[in-house]
Amino acid sequence: MFDALLDRIGHWLARRVTAETSAYEPYAASRPEFVARLIQPADVLLVEGGRTKIAAAIKYLTQSTWSHAALFVGEEAGLKDAEGRPLTLVEAELGQGIIASPLEKYASHNTRICRPVGLTPEDRARVIRYAIKHIGGQYDLHNVLDLARYLIPTPPVPARFRRRMIALGSGEPTRAICSTLIARAFEKVRYPILPIIEKRMVTDERGRVRREEVLHIRDSSLYTPRDFDTSPFFRIVKPTVEMGFDYKALVWSDPAAPPGGARPRAVPPAPVAVDQAGRRLPPDGSMA
């Protein structure tokens, strides 16, 4: 009964922090048709949050433009809505739980594709299966105190504590936030995101001492959307560039600009020579 009360309070708080606050205007959104052509299964789609308090809080706490992450599973996963349209994203949405969504959902948002480098086809399939298996799971609303902190979009928190504030920590496997779900999927195939690197000295069978690096998996609840962007193991795919960007072909609003967008350099006026009385001299310097 107590857990049910906490969840009820959590759902009420979720409605408060996901309420729209101000207009969101993406200034340079990726063209959705380009994103659809280039994104591949097991890619992570980062989303710049829009008009909610929780999006503003996550961006502030992570010092990043990205407030949400979703896993692209592709049409091959066979997920469809009631009208038969493909659902190609699996994501954890506050107040809704783990759901499947169409890629078009974020057509008007700034997005970024993060691609795991060298992921084998077998492991890619395992990552996708893990995410699909957890559709229907609950969003982590158990810790209502964690959730209540998002009522303040820019909480005055020291930088070293901000990552901890992202976690909503029930610890139950059926509950997840957006980054936690994806981090756990990649953990299943031992694919690194931002592991803790320990450097230590070891002695081999010949008695030689050498240094080696050992990776430690971070707590999945502490991952944020920004981590996929900064990870050295994920490639950033920019659809506009990949589709063949030519800055010379851009059409600028300034009619004075020549083709290609470059402006002509202003030529400074030639100095004017004058005599002692202040009268202007001819260009050759002789008296008139």
Side-chain angles (χ1 to χ4, degrees):
M1 182 180 296
F2 183 69
D3 285 347
L5 176 62
L6 288 178
D7 271 346
R8 183 173 297 179
I9 297 173
H11 280 286
W12 177 80
L13 285 171
R15 290 193 296 271
R16 293 291 303 273
V17 298
T18 55
E20 296 185 354
T21 55
S22 60
Y24 168 71
E25 297 181 0
Y27 56 88
S30 300
R31 295 180 61 174
E33 65 271 22
F34 288 179
V35 175
R37 289 178 61 180
L38 288 176
I39 196 168
Q40 298 178 5
D43 284 353
V44 178
L45 184 72
L46 302 184
V47 182
E48 183 183 42
R51 303 178 289 260
T52 64
K53 289 183 178 180
I54 192 169
I58 290 175
K59 288 193 289 185
Y60 169 77
L61 292 171
T62 61
Q63 295 296 288
S64 169
T65 187
W66 312 114
S67 64
H68 186 62
L71 184 72
F72 184 78
V73 298
E75 295 187 17
E76 296 80 4
L79 303 176
K80 298 182 182 297
D81 63 11
E83 299 179 1
R85 293 174 297 189
L87 303 175
T88 55
L89 296 175
V90 175
E91 58 183 340
E93 279 278 16
L94 185 61
Q96 300 182 52
I98 301 175
I99 60 175
S101 305
L103 184 61
E104 295 78 11
K105 177 178 180 180
Y106 299 112
S108 62
H109 289 67
N110 290 322
T111 58
R112 170 161 291 176
I113 298 173
C114 299
R115 178 164 298 159
V117 177
L119 190 66
T120 66
E122 296 78 16
D123 285 346
R124 180 180 295 108
R126 290 179 62 191
V127 168
I128 292 172
R129 282 199 304 270
Y130 179 91
I132 293 175
K133 178 182 177 181
H134 286 79
I135 292 177
Q138 296 173 296
Y139 198 103
D140 194 340
L141 299 174
H142 191 84
N143 195 328
V144 295
L145 293 179
D146 285 345
L147 188 60
R149 292 178 301 197
Y150 290 113
L151 290 173
I152 306 173
T154 54
V157 180
R160 63 182 181 275
F161 298 131
R162 288 175 181 172
R163 183 175 290 269
R164 288 282 176 182
M165 283 194 67
I166 298 297
L168 302 181
S170 73
E172 298 181 25
T174 58
R175 299 170 179 261
I177 61 174
C178 65
S179 302
T180 298
L181 169 69
I182 301 172
R184 287 175 178 170
F186 282 103
E187 281 179 8
K188 291 299 179 182
V189 299
R190 308 291 287 182
Y191 192 90
I193 302 172
L194 276 181
I196 299 172
I197 301 177
E198 175 191 359
K199 295 182 178 180
R200 63 186 184 185
M201 307 302 293
V202 297
T203 305
D204 61 19
E205 63 277 3
R206 297 184 179 181
R208 295 176 300 186
V209 179
R210 59 183 176 84
R211 178 180 296 180
E212 70 174 10
E213 293 184 349
V214 178
L215 304 184
H216 297 273
I217 297 177
R218 292 179 184 269
D219 185 342
S220 58
S221 66
L222 299 180
Y223 277 105
T224 71
R226 175 179 180 266
D227 293 335
F228 297 96
D229 189 10
T230 59
S231 171
F233 311 109
F234 282 75
R235 177 183 294 117
I236 304 304
V237 180
K238 296 188 176 183
T240 302
V241 175
E242 297 293 333
M243 293 298 292
F245 171 65
D246 179 11
Y247 77 96
K248 293 288 189 179
L250 297 178
V251 179
W252 294 90
S253 61
D254 185 356
R263 293 176 176 269
R265 289 193 304 171
V267 179
V272 177
V274 295
D275 60 12
Q276 293 182 351
R279 293 175 298 182
R280 183 171 180 173
L281 296 175
D284 59 2
S286 61
M287 293 296 294

